[in-house]
Coordinates of all heavy atoms in Angstrom, one line a residue:
M1 N -12.5 13.4 -37.4 CA -12.9 12.1 -38.1 C -14.1 12.5 -39.1 O -15.0 13.2 -38.7 CB -13.4 11.1 -37.1 CG -14.1 9.9 -37.7 SD -14.6 8.7 -36.4 CE -15.4 7.5 -37.5
V2 N -14.0 12.0 -40.3 CA -15.0 12.2 -41.3 C -16.0 11.0 -41.3 O -15.5 9.9 -41.5 CB -14.4 12.4 -42.7 CG1 -15.6 12.6 -43.7 CG2 -13.6 13.7 -42.7
L3 N -17.2 11.2 -41.0 CA -18.2 10.2 -41.0 C -18.8 10.0 -42.4 O -19.0 11.0 -43.1 CB -19.3 10.5 -40.1 CG -18.9 10.7 -38.6 CD1 -20.2 10.9 -37.8 CD2 -18.1 9.5 -38.1
N4 N -19.1 8.8 -42.8 CA -19.9 8.6 -44.0 C -21.4 8.5 -43.6 O -21.7 8.5 -42.4 CB -19.5 7.4 -44.8 CG -19.7 6.1 -44.1 OD1 -20.6 6.0 -43.3 ND2 -18.9 5.1 -44.5
C5 N -22.3 8.4 -44.6 CA -23.7 8.5 -44.3 C -24.2 7.4 -43.3 O -24.9 7.6 -42.4 CB -24.5 8.4 -45.6 SG -24.3 9.9 -46.6
R6 N -23.6 6.2 -43.5 CA -24.1 5.1 -42.7 C -23.7 5.3 -41.3 O -24.4 4.9 -40.4 CB -23.5 3.8 -43.3 CG -24.1 2.5 -42.8 CD -23.8 1.3 -43.6 NE -24.6 1.3 -44.9 CZ -25.8 0.9 -45.0 NH1 -26.5 0.5 -44.0 NH2 -26.4 0.9 -46.2
H7 N -22.5 5.8 -41.1 CA -22.1 6.1 -39.7 C -23.1 7.1 -39.0 O -23.4 6.9 -37.9 CB -20.7 6.7 -39.7 CG -19.6 5.8 -40.0 ND1 -18.5 6.2 -40.7 CD2 -19.4 4.5 -39.8 CE1 -17.7 5.1 -40.9 NE2 -18.2 4.1 -40.4
V8 N -23.5 8.1 -39.8 CA -24.4 9.1 -39.3 C -25.7 8.5 -38.9 O -26.3 8.7 -37.9 CB -24.6 10.2 -40.3 CG1 -25.7 11.2 -39.8 CG2 -23.3 11.0 -40.4
W9 N -26.2 7.6 -39.8 CA -27.5 6.9 -39.5 C -27.4 6.1 -38.2 O -28.4 6.1 -37.4 CB -27.9 6.0 -40.6 CG -28.1 6.7 -42.0 CD1 -28.2 8.0 -42.2 CD2 -28.1 6.1 -43.3 NE1 -28.3 8.3 -43.5 CE2 -28.2 7.2 -44.2 CE3 -28.0 4.8 -43.7 CZ2 -28.3 6.9 -45.6 CZ3 -28.0 4.6 -45.1 CH2 -28.2 5.6 -46.0
D10 N -26.2 5.5 -38.0 CA -26.1 4.7 -36.8 C -26.1 5.6 -35.5 O -26.4 5.2 -34.4 CB -24.7 4.0 -36.8 CG -24.7 2.8 -37.7 OD1 -25.8 2.4 -38.1 OD2 -23.6 2.4 -38.1
Q11 N -25.8 6.9 -35.7 CA -25.7 7.8 -34.6 C -26.9 8.7 -34.4 O -27.0 9.4 -33.4 CB -24.5 8.7 -34.7 CG -23.1 8.0 -34.9 CD -22.8 7.2 -33.6 OE1 -23.3 7.5 -32.5 NE2 -21.8 6.3 -33.8
I12 N -27.9 8.6 -35.4 CA -28.9 9.6 -35.4 C -29.8 9.5 -34.1 O -30.2 10.6 -33.5 CB -29.8 9.5 -36.7 CG1 -29.1 10.4 -37.7 CG2 -31.2 9.9 -36.4 CD1 -29.9 10.4 -39.0
S13 N -30.1 8.3 -33.7 CA -31.0 8.2 -32.5 C -30.2 8.8 -31.2 O -30.8 9.5 -30.4 CB -31.4 6.8 -32.2 OG -30.3 6.0 -32.0
G14 N -29.0 8.5 -31.1 CA -28.2 9.1 -30.1 C -28.1 10.6 -30.2 O -28.1 11.3 -29.2
Y15 N -28.0 11.0 -31.4 CA -27.9 12.5 -31.6 C -29.2 13.2 -31.2 O -29.2 14.2 -30.4 CB -27.7 12.7 -33.1 CG -27.7 14.2 -33.5 CD1 -26.5 14.9 -33.4 CD2 -28.8 14.8 -34.1 CE1 -26.5 16.3 -33.7 CE2 -28.8 16.2 -34.4 CZ -27.6 16.9 -34.3 OH -27.6 18.2 -34.6
L16 N -30.3 12.6 -31.5 CA -31.6 13.2 -31.1 C -31.9 13.0 -29.6 O -32.5 13.8 -29.0 CB -32.8 12.5 -31.9 CG -32.8 12.9 -33.4 CD1 -33.8 12.0 -34.1 CD2 -33.2 14.3 -33.5
D17 N -31.3 11.9 -29.0 CA -31.5 11.7 -27.6 C -30.5 12.5 -26.8 O -30.5 12.5 -25.6 CB -31.3 10.2 -27.2 CG -32.5 9.4 -27.7 OD1 -33.6 10.0 -28.0 OD2 -32.4 8.2 -27.8
N18 N -29.5 13.1 -27.5 CA -28.5 13.9 -26.8 C -27.6 13.0 -26.0 O -27.2 13.4 -24.9 CB -29.1 15.0 -26.0 CG -28.2 16.3 -26.1 OD1 -27.2 16.3 -26.7 ND2 -28.6 17.3 -25.3
T19 N -27.3 11.8 -26.4 CA -26.5 10.9 -25.7 C -25.1 10.7 -26.3 O -24.3 9.9 -25.8 CB -27.1 9.5 -25.6 OG1 -27.4 9.0 -26.9 CG2 -28.4 9.6 -24.8
L20 N -24.8 11.4 -27.4 CA -23.5 11.3 -28.0 C -22.4 12.1 -27.2 O -22.8 13.1 -26.6 CB -23.5 11.8 -29.4 CG -24.5 11.1 -30.4 CD1 -24.4 11.7 -31.7 CD2 -24.2 9.6 -30.4
D21 N -21.2 11.6 -27.2 CA -20.2 12.5 -26.7 C -19.9 13.7 -27.6 O -20.3 13.7 -28.7 CB -18.9 11.7 -26.4 CG -18.3 11.1 -27.7 OD1 -17.7 11.9 -28.5 OD2 -18.5 9.9 -28.0
A22 N -19.3 14.7 -27.0 CA -19.2 16.0 -27.8 C -18.5 15.8 -29.1 O -18.9 16.4 -30.1 CB -18.4 17.0 -26.9
A23 N -17.4 15.0 -29.2 CA -16.7 14.8 -30.4 C -17.5 14.1 -31.5 O -17.5 14.6 -32.6 CB -15.4 14.0 -30.1
T24 N -18.3 13.1 -31.1 CA -19.1 12.4 -32.1 C -20.2 13.3 -32.5 O -20.5 13.4 -33.7 CB -19.7 11.1 -31.4 OG1 -18.7 10.3 -30.9 CG2 -20.5 10.4 -32.4
R25 N -20.8 14.0 -31.6 CA -21.9 15.0 -32.0 C -21.4 16.0 -33.0 O -22.0 16.3 -33.9 CB -22.4 15.7 -30.7 CG -23.6 16.5 -30.9 CD -24.1 17.1 -29.6 NE -25.3 17.9 -29.9 CZ -26.5 17.3 -30.0 NH1 -26.7 16.0 -29.8 NH2 -27.6 18.0 -30.3
A26 N -20.2 16.5 -32.7 CA -19.6 17.5 -33.6 C -19.4 16.9 -35.0 O -19.6 17.5 -36.0 CB -18.3 18.0 -33.1
D27 N -18.9 15.6 -35.1 CA -18.7 14.9 -36.3 C -20.0 14.8 -37.1 O -20.1 15.0 -38.3 CB -18.1 13.6 -36.1 CG -16.6 13.6 -35.7 OD1 -16.0 14.7 -36.0 OD2 -16.1 12.7 -35.1
V28 N -21.1 14.4 -36.3 CA -22.4 14.2 -37.0 C -22.9 15.6 -37.5 O -23.4 15.7 -38.6 CB -23.4 13.6 -36.0 CG1 -24.8 13.7 -36.5 CG2 -23.0 12.2 -35.6
E29 N -22.8 16.6 -36.7 CA -23.3 17.9 -37.1 C -22.5 18.4 -38.3 O -23.1 19.0 -39.2 CB -23.1 18.9 -36.0 CG -24.2 18.7 -34.9 CD -24.1 19.7 -33.7 OE1 -23.0 20.3 -33.6 OE2 -25.1 19.8 -33.0
E30 N -21.2 18.1 -38.4 CA -20.4 18.5 -39.5 C -20.9 17.8 -40.8 O -21.0 18.4 -41.9 CB -18.9 18.2 -39.3 CG -18.0 18.7 -40.3 CD -16.6 18.4 -40.0 OE1 -16.2 18.3 -38.8 OE2 -15.8 18.3 -41.0
H31 N -21.2 16.5 -40.7 CA -21.7 15.8 -41.8 C -23.1 16.3 -42.3 O -23.3 16.6 -43.4 CB -21.8 14.3 -41.5 CG -22.2 13.5 -42.6 ND1 -21.4 12.7 -43.4 CD2 -23.5 13.2 -43.1 CE1 -22.1 12.1 -44.4 NE2 -23.3 12.4 -44.2
L32 N -24.0 16.5 -41.3 CA -25.3 17.0 -41.6 C -25.3 18.3 -42.3 O -26.2 18.6 -43.1 CB -26.1 17.1 -40.3 CG -26.5 15.7 -39.6 CD1 -27.0 16.0 -38.2 CD2 -27.6 15.0 -40.5
A33 N -24.3 19.1 -42.0 CA -24.2 20.5 -42.5 C -24.1 20.5 -44.0 O -24.5 21.4 -44.7 CB -23.1 21.2 -41.9
H34 N -23.6 19.4 -44.6 CA -23.4 19.4 -46.0 C -24.0 18.2 -46.7 O -23.8 18.0 -47.9 CB -21.9 19.5 -46.4 CG -21.1 18.2 -46.0 ND1 -21.2 17.1 -46.7 CD2 -20.2 18.0 -45.0 CE1 -20.4 16.2 -46.1 NE2 -19.8 16.7 -45.1
C35 N -24.8 17.3 -46.0 CA -25.4 16.2 -46.6 C -26.9 16.3 -46.6 O -27.5 16.2 -45.5 CB -24.9 14.9 -45.9 SG -25.6 13.4 -46.6
E36 N -27.5 16.4 -47.8 CA -28.9 16.5 -47.8 C -29.6 15.3 -47.4 O -30.7 15.3 -46.8 CB -29.3 16.9 -49.3 CG -28.9 18.3 -49.7 CD -29.2 18.6 -51.1 OE1 -30.1 17.9 -51.7 OE2 -28.7 19.5 -51.7
I37 N -29.0 14.1 -47.8 CA -29.7 12.8 -47.5 C -29.8 12.7 -45.9 O -30.9 12.4 -45.4 CB -28.9 11.7 -48.1 CG1 -29.0 11.8 -49.6 CG2 -29.4 10.3 -47.6 CD1 -28.1 10.8 -50.3
C38 N -28.7 12.9 -45.3 CA -28.7 12.7 -43.8 C -29.6 13.7 -43.1 O -30.2 13.5 -42.1 CB -27.3 12.7 -43.2 SG -26.4 11.2 -43.7
S39 N -29.6 14.9 -43.6 CA -30.5 16.0 -43.1 C -31.9 15.5 -43.2 O -32.7 15.7 -42.3 CB -30.3 17.3 -43.8 OG -29.0 17.8 -43.6
A40 N -32.3 14.9 -44.3 CA -33.6 14.4 -44.5 C -34.0 13.3 -43.6 O -35.0 13.2 -43.0 CB -33.8 14.0 -46.0
V41 N -33.0 12.4 -43.4 CA -33.2 11.3 -42.4 C -33.4 11.9 -41.0 O -34.3 11.4 -40.3 CB -32.0 10.4 -42.5 CG1 -32.1 9.3 -41.4 CG2 -31.9 9.7 -43.8
L42 N -32.6 12.8 -40.7 CA -32.7 13.4 -39.4 C -34.1 14.1 -39.2 O -34.7 13.8 -38.1 CB -31.6 14.5 -39.2 CG -31.6 15.2 -37.8 CD1 -31.3 14.3 -36.7 CD2 -30.7 16.4 -37.8
D43 N -34.5 14.8 -40.2 CA -35.8 15.5 -40.1 C -36.9 14.4 -39.9 O -37.8 14.6 -39.1 CB -36.1 16.3 -41.3 CG -35.3 17.6 -41.2 OD1 -34.8 18.0 -40.1 OD2 -35.2 18.3 -42.3
S44 N -36.9 13.4 -40.7 CA -37.9 12.3 -40.7 C -37.9 11.6 -39.3 O -39.0 11.4 -38.7 CB -37.6 11.3 -41.8 OG -37.6 11.9 -43.0
T45 N -36.7 11.3 -38.8 CA -36.6 10.6 -37.5 C -37.1 11.5 -36.4 O -37.9 11.1 -35.6 CB -35.2 10.2 -37.3 OG1 -34.7 9.5 -38.4 CG2 -35.1 9.4 -36.0
R46 N -36.8 12.8 -36.5 CA -37.2 13.7 -35.5 C -38.8 13.8 -35.5 O -39.4 13.9 -34.5 CB -36.6 15.1 -35.7 CG -36.9 16.1 -34.6 CD -36.4 17.5 -34.9 NE -35.0 17.7 -34.7 CZ -34.2 18.2 -35.6 NH1 -34.6 18.6 -36.7 NH2 -32.9 18.4 -35.3
N47 N -39.3 13.9 -36.7 CA -40.8 14.0 -36.8 C -41.5 12.8 -36.2 O -42.5 12.9 -35.6 CB -41.2 14.1 -38.3 CG -40.9 15.5 -38.8 OD1 -40.7 16.5 -38.1 ND2 -40.8 15.6 -40.1
I48 N -40.9 11.6 -36.5 CA -41.5 10.4 -35.9 C -41.4 10.4 -34.4 O -42.4 10.1 -33.7 CB -40.7 9.1 -36.4 CG1 -41.1 8.9 -37.9 CG2 -41.1 7.9 -35.6 CD1 -40.2 7.9 -38.6
L49 N -40.3 10.9 -33.8 CA -40.2 11.0 -32.4 C -41.2 12.0 -31.8 O -41.8 11.7 -30.8 CB -38.8 11.4 -32.0 CG -37.7 10.4 -32.3 CD1 -36.3 11.0 -31.9 CD2 -37.9 9.2 -31.4
I50 N -41.4 13.1 -32.5 CA -42.4 14.1 -32.0 C -43.8 13.5 -32.0 O -44.5 13.6 -31.1 CB -42.3 15.4 -32.9 CG1 -41.0 16.1 -32.7 CG2 -43.5 16.3 -32.7 CD1 -40.7 17.2 -33.7
L51 N -44.1 12.8 -33.1 CA -45.4 12.2 -33.2 C -45.6 11.1 -32.1 O -46.6 11.1 -31.4 CB -45.6 11.5 -34.6 CG -45.7 12.5 -35.7 CD1 -45.7 11.7 -37.1 CD2 -47.1 13.2 -35.7
T52 N -44.6 10.3 -31.9 CA -44.8 9.2 -30.9 C -44.7 9.7 -29.5 O -45.1 9.1 -28.6 CB -43.7 8.1 -31.2 OG1 -42.4 8.7 -31.2 CG2 -43.9 7.4 -32.5
A53 N -44.1 10.9 -29.3 CA -44.0 11.4 -28.0 C -45.3 12.1 -27.5 O -45.5 12.4 -26.4 CB -42.9 12.5 -27.9
D54 N -46.2 12.2 -28.4 CA -47.5 12.8 -28.2 C -48.6 11.9 -27.8 O -49.7 12.1 -28.1 CB -47.9 13.7 -29.4 CG -49.0 14.6 -29.1 OD1 -49.2 15.0 -27.9 OD2 -49.7 15.0 -30.1
D55 N -48.2 10.8 -27.1 CA -49.2 9.8 -26.6 C -50.0 9.1 -27.6 O -50.9 8.4 -27.3 CB -50.2 10.5 -25.6 CG -49.8 10.4 -24.2 OD1 -48.8 9.8 -23.9 OD2 -50.5 11.0 -23.3
R56 N -49.6 9.3 -28.9 CA -50.2 8.5 -29.9 C -49.3 7.4 -30.3 O -48.1 7.6 -30.2 CB -50.5 9.4 -31.1 CG -51.7 10.3 -30.8 CD -51.9 11.3 -32.0 NE -50.8 12.3 -32.1 CZ -50.8 13.2 -33.0 NH1 -51.6 13.2 -34.0 NH2 -49.8 14.1 -33.0
V57 N -49.8 6.3 -30.8 CA -49.0 5.2 -31.2 C -49.1 5.0 -32.7 O -50.2 4.9 -33.2 CB -49.5 3.9 -30.4 CG1 -48.7 2.7 -30.9 CG2 -49.4 4.1 -28.9
F58 N -48.0 4.9 -33.3 CA -47.9 4.6 -34.7 C -47.2 3.3 -34.9 O -46.1 3.1 -34.4 CB -47.2 5.7 -35.5 CG -47.9 7.0 -35.5 CD1 -47.9 7.9 -34.4 CD2 -48.6 7.4 -36.6 CE1 -48.5 9.1 -34.5 CE2 -49.3 8.6 -36.7 CZ -49.3 9.5 -35.6
E59 N -47.9 2.4 -35.6 CA -47.2 1.2 -35.9 C -46.5 1.2 -37.2 O -47.2 1.4 -38.2 CB -48.3 0.0 -35.9 CG -48.8 -0.2 -34.5 CD -49.6 -1.5 -34.5 OE1 -49.5 -2.3 -35.4 OE2 -50.4 -1.7 -33.5
L60 N -45.2 1.1 -37.2 CA -44.5 1.1 -38.4 C -44.6 -0.3 -39.0 O -44.5 -1.3 -38.3 CB -43.0 1.5 -38.2 CG -42.8 2.9 -37.7 CD1 -41.3 3.1 -37.4 CD2 -43.3 3.9 -38.7
P61 N -44.7 -0.3 -40.4 CA -44.8 -1.6 -41.0 C -43.5 -2.4 -40.7 O -42.4 -1.9 -40.6 CB -44.9 -1.3 -42.5 CG -44.9 0.1 -42.6 CD -44.8 0.8 -41.3
L62 N -43.7 -3.7 -40.7 CA -42.5 -4.6 -40.5 C -41.5 -4.3 -41.6 O -41.8 -4.2 -42.8 CB -43.0 -6.1 -40.6 CG -42.1 -7.1 -40.0 CD1 -42.0 -6.9 -38.5 CD2 -42.7 -8.5 -40.2
G63 N -40.2 -4.2 -41.2 CA -39.2 -4.0 -42.2 C -39.0 -2.5 -42.6 O -38.3 -2.2 -43.5
Y64 N -39.7 -1.6 -41.9 CA -39.7 -0.2 -42.3 C -38.3 0.3 -42.4 O -37.9 0.9 -43.4 CB -40.6 0.6 -41.3 CG -40.5 2.1 -41.5 CD1 -41.3 2.7 -42.5 CD2 -39.6 2.8 -40.8 CE1 -41.2 4.1 -42.7 CE2 -39.5 4.2 -41.0 CZ -40.3 4.8 -41.9 OH -40.2 6.2 -42.1
S65 N -37.5 0.1 -41.3 CA -36.2 0.7 -41.3 C -35.3 0.1 -42.3 O -34.5 0.8 -42.9 CB -35.6 0.7 -39.9 OG -35.3 -0.6 -39.6
E66 N -35.5 -1.2 -42.5 CA -34.6 -1.8 -43.6 C -34.9 -1.3 -44.9 O -34.0 -1.0 -45.7 CB -34.9 -3.4 -43.6 CG -34.2 -4.1 -42.4 CD -35.0 -4.0 -41.1 OE1 -36.2 -3.4 -41.2 OE2 -34.6 -4.5 -40.1
R67 N -36.2 -1.1 -45.2 CA -36.6 -0.5 -46.5 C -36.1 0.9 -46.6 O -35.7 1.4 -47.7 CB -38.1 -0.6 -46.7 CG -38.6 -2.0 -47.0 CD -39.9 -2.0 -47.8 NE -41.0 -1.3 -47.0 CZ -41.7 -2.0 -46.1 NH1 -41.5 -3.2 -45.9 NH2 -42.6 -1.3 -45.5
L68 N -36.2 1.7 -45.5 CA -35.8 3.1 -45.5 C -34.3 3.1 -45.9 O -33.8 3.9 -46.7 CB -36.0 3.7 -44.2 CG -35.5 5.1 -44.0 CD1 -36.1 6.1 -45.0 CD2 -35.7 5.6 -42.6
H69 N -33.5 2.3 -45.2 CA -32.1 2.3 -45.4 C -31.8 1.8 -46.8 O -30.8 2.3 -47.5 CB -31.4 1.4 -44.4 CG -31.1 2.0 -43.1 ND1 -30.1 1.6 -42.2 CD2 -31.7 3.1 -42.5 CE1 -30.1 2.4 -41.2 NE2 -31.1 3.3 -41.3
A70 N -32.5 0.8 -47.3 CA -32.3 0.3 -48.7 C -32.5 1.5 -49.7 O -31.8 1.6 -50.7 CB -33.2 -0.8 -49.0
R71 N -33.6 2.2 -49.5 CA -33.9 3.3 -50.4 C -32.8 4.4 -50.4 O -32.4 4.9 -51.4 CB -35.3 3.9 -50.1 CG -36.4 3.1 -50.6 CD -37.7 3.8 -50.3 NE -37.9 5.0 -51.1 CZ -39.0 5.7 -51.2 NH1 -40.1 5.3 -50.6 NH2 -39.0 6.8 -51.9
L72 N -32.4 4.7 -49.2 CA -31.3 5.7 -49.0 C -30.0 5.2 -49.7 O -29.4 6.0 -50.3 CB -31.1 6.0 -47.5 CG -32.3 6.8 -46.9 CD1 -32.2 6.7 -45.4 CD2 -32.3 8.2 -47.4
T73 N -29.7 3.9 -49.4 CA -28.5 3.4 -50.0 C -28.6 3.5 -51.6 O -27.6 3.9 -52.2 CB -28.3 1.9 -49.6 OG1 -28.2 1.9 -48.2 CG2 -27.0 1.4 -50.2
Q74 N -29.8 3.2 -52.1 CA -29.9 3.2 -53.5 C -29.8 4.7 -54.0 O -29.1 4.9 -55.0 CB -31.3 2.7 -53.9 CG -31.6 2.7 -55.4 CD -33.0 2.2 -55.8 OE1 -33.8 2.1 -54.9 NE2 -33.2 1.9 -57.0
A75 N -30.3 5.6 -53.3 CA -30.2 7.0 -53.6 C -28.8 7.4 -53.6 O -28.3 8.2 -54.5 CB -31.0 7.9 -52.7
I76 N -28.0 6.9 -52.7 CA -26.6 7.3 -52.6 C -25.8 6.7 -53.8 O -25.0 7.4 -54.4 CB -26.0 6.8 -51.3 CG1 -26.6 7.6 -50.1 CG2 -24.5 6.9 -51.3 CD1 -26.3 7.1 -48.8
L77 N -26.2 5.4 -54.1 CA -25.5 4.8 -55.2 C -25.8 5.4 -56.6 O -25.0 5.5 -57.5 CB -25.9 3.3 -55.3 CG -25.3 2.5 -54.1 CD1 -25.8 1.0 -54.2 CD2 -23.8 2.5 -54.1
E78 N -27.0 5.9 -56.7 CA -27.4 6.5 -58.0 C -26.7 7.8 -58.2 O -26.6 8.3 -59.3 CB -29.0 6.7 -58.0 CG -29.7 5.4 -58.2 CD -31.2 5.6 -58.1 OE1 -31.6 6.7 -57.7 OE2 -31.9 4.6 -58.4
G79 N -26.3 8.5 -57.2 CA -25.6 9.7 -57.4 C -25.6 10.5 -56.1 O -26.6 10.6 -55.4
P80 N -24.5 11.1 -55.8 CA -24.4 11.9 -54.6 C -25.2 13.2 -54.7 O -25.5 13.6 -55.8 CB -22.9 12.3 -54.5 CG -22.4 12.2 -56.0 CD -23.3 11.2 -56.6
P81 N -25.7 13.8 -53.6 CA -26.4 15.0 -53.7 C -25.4 16.1 -54.2 O -24.2 15.9 -54.3 CB -26.7 15.3 -52.2 CG -25.9 14.4 -51.4 CD -25.5 13.3 -52.3
T82 N -26.0 17.2 -54.6 CA -25.3 18.2 -55.3 C -24.3 18.9 -54.3 O -24.6 19.9 -53.7 CB -26.2 19.3 -55.9 OG1 -27.1 19.7 -54.9 CG2 -27.0 18.7 -57.0
D83 N -23.2 18.2 -54.1 CA -22.3 18.7 -53.1 C -20.9 18.8 -53.8 O -20.2 17.8 -54.0 CB -22.2 17.7 -51.9 CG -21.2 18.1 -50.9 OD1 -20.6 19.2 -51.0 OD2 -20.9 17.4 -50.0
T84 N -20.5 20.0 -54.1 CA -19.3 20.1 -54.8 C -18.2 20.6 -53.9 O -17.0 20.8 -54.3 CB -19.5 21.2 -56.0 OG1 -19.9 22.4 -55.4 CG2 -20.4 20.7 -57.0
T85 N -18.5 20.7 -52.6 CA -17.5 21.3 -51.7 C -16.6 20.2 -51.1 O -15.5 20.4 -50.6 CB -18.1 22.0 -50.5 OG1 -19.0 21.2 -49.8 CG2 -18.9 23.2 -51.1
S86 N -17.1 18.9 -51.2 CA -16.4 17.8 -50.5 C -15.5 17.1 -51.5 O -15.9 16.8 -52.6 CB -17.4 16.8 -50.0 OG -16.8 15.6 -49.6
S87 N -14.3 16.8 -51.1 CA -13.4 16.1 -52.0 C -13.3 14.7 -51.5 O -12.4 13.9 -52.0 CB -12.1 16.8 -51.9 OG -11.6 16.9 -50.6
G88 N -14.1 14.2 -50.7 CA -14.1 12.8 -50.3 C -13.4 12.5 -49.0 O -13.2 11.4 -48.7
Ligands
ZN25 ZN1 -24.9 11.7 -45.3

């Protein structure tokens, strides 16, 4: 199964928590291998988890994730990352 970016975003927390089944995890990893946007999202999310796991509390502004997704969606609409290997 080929995931699009939005599918991957839906799975990222499960991916980081290691709660995905093997097939879904493989699909996510396959997408991450060639998608710069989702790789960036994964890195950002992982960094937030590392920071928050360190007994410190960060308050994210209201609507943070909605704005993040909106920006990513805009980035996707403006043009795909330089990926010439995928045929869709
Ligand atoms: Zn993606």
Side-chain angles (χ1 to χ4, degrees):
M1 171 180 177
V2 176
L3 302 183
N4 66 27
C5 292
R6 194 163 286 278
H7 290 145
V8 172
W9 300 342
D10 287 342
Q11 303 295 342
I12 272 183
S13 64
Y15 179 81
L16 289 170
D17 288 342
N18 215 2
T19 58
L20 301 181
D21 61 76
T24 304
R25 185 175 185 84
D27 287 338
V28 170
E29 286 180 340
E30 185 178 335
H31 182 100
L32 288 168
H34 68 75
C35 182
E36 294 178 15
I37 293 173
C38 290
S39 295
V41 172
L42 177 67
D43 283 346
S44 301
T45 306
R46 186 189 280 133
N47 286 340
I48 289 170
L49 289 177
I50 289 169
L51 290 171
T52 54
D54 191 22
D55 265 356
R56 287 175 289 177
V57 175
F58 290 80
E59 290 191 17
L60 295 177
L62 202 64
Y64 172 84
S65 70
E66 285 81 3
R67 286 203 300 274
L68 175 63
H69 277 202
R71 282 186 64 172
L72 289 165
T73 301
Q74 184 182 11
I76 291 166
L77 290 175
E78 284 174 352
T82 54
D83 177 9
T84 56
T85 60
S86 166
S87 58

